[in-house]
Amino acid sequence: MEKAFKLTLIDYRLLQIILQLNDVNLTSNRYGVYCIAKGIINNETEMLKNNSYFGTIKSSSQKQISLRLIKLHKAKLIENLYIEKYNDTFLKITNLGEERVENYFSKHKNTVAKPKQNKQNIVFLK
């Protein structure tokens, strides 16, 4: 008998990132979701730094996030969307994934504590 896949808070946050991107007609590949989750600012994520889930999964590695996304795909909560123009596979949330996120956040608080920014340790003196 196959064991049911139980979603963790990290899974729900990853689903929420993909859902928020899809709501504004954006999509991302696995690395893009990783950058948003870790809070990595580059020329593509610059416009998303005010997203409520930007930088909320700092403790996970790229491999861990990628494996979570693969498990979410196997559970049919997200689907791969191949875009020939970019020759890459992007992620899109399914209806089942949207339902699971809405159901979870209807019962739990949807507050995200942003990690504190590190203070600068070394500064120049005049």
Side-chain angles (χ1 to χ4, degrees):
M1 179 176 270
E2 190 172 322
K3 206 172 170 183
F5 176 59
K6 185 176 179 185
L7 296 176
T8 63
L9 181 60
I10 291 175
D11 296 326
Y12 284 112
R13 286 185 177 174
L14 290 172
L15 285 171
Q16 190 71 21
I17 289 169
I18 296 168
L19 178 63
Q20 287 180 350
L21 287 174
N22 290 172
D23 285 345
V24 292
N25 292 326
L26 293 173
T27 187
S28 176
N29 59 12
R30 282 184 170 78
Y31 182 71
V33 172
Y34 163 74
C35 288
I36 294 169
K38 292 287 279 189
I40 298 170
I41 298 176
N42 56 31
N43 59 354
E44 293 177 341
T45 60
E46 180 72 31
M47 66 180 173
L48 301 169
K49 67 181 177 183
N50 293 328
N51 184 312
S52 59
Y53 286 91
F54 189 84
T56 57
I57 311 177
K58 291 198 179 258
S59 61
S60 296
S61 68
Q62 183 176 0
K63 185 176 182 179
Q64 290 170 330
I65 290 174
S66 183
L67 288 173
R68 298 308 304 175
L69 291 171
I70 290 169
K71 288 185 177 187
L72 291 172
H73 180 262
K74 286 183 180 179
K76 296 184 170 80
L77 299 175
I78 59 175
E79 62 186 7
N80 291 332
L81 177 67
Y82 179 75
I83 299 177
E84 192 171 327
K85 177 181 176 183
Y86 300 105
N87 193 25
D88 201 358
T89 303
F90 295 88
L91 303 173
K92 185 175 187 223
I93 195 162
T94 63
N95 292 335
L96 178 63
E98 282 185 47
E99 289 173 13
R100 294 283 295 267
V101 168
E102 290 172 8
N103 186 29
Y104 178 80
F105 287 117
S106 68
K107 297 176 184 175
H108 298 84
K109 279 187 174 181
N110 193 7
T111 57
V112 178
K114 287 265 186 171
K116 293 180 182 176
Q117 296 295 327
N118 292 339
K119 294 182 180 178
Q120 195 164 353
N121 296 323
I122 300 173
V123 296
F124 286 104
L125 297 175
K126 290 185 178 182

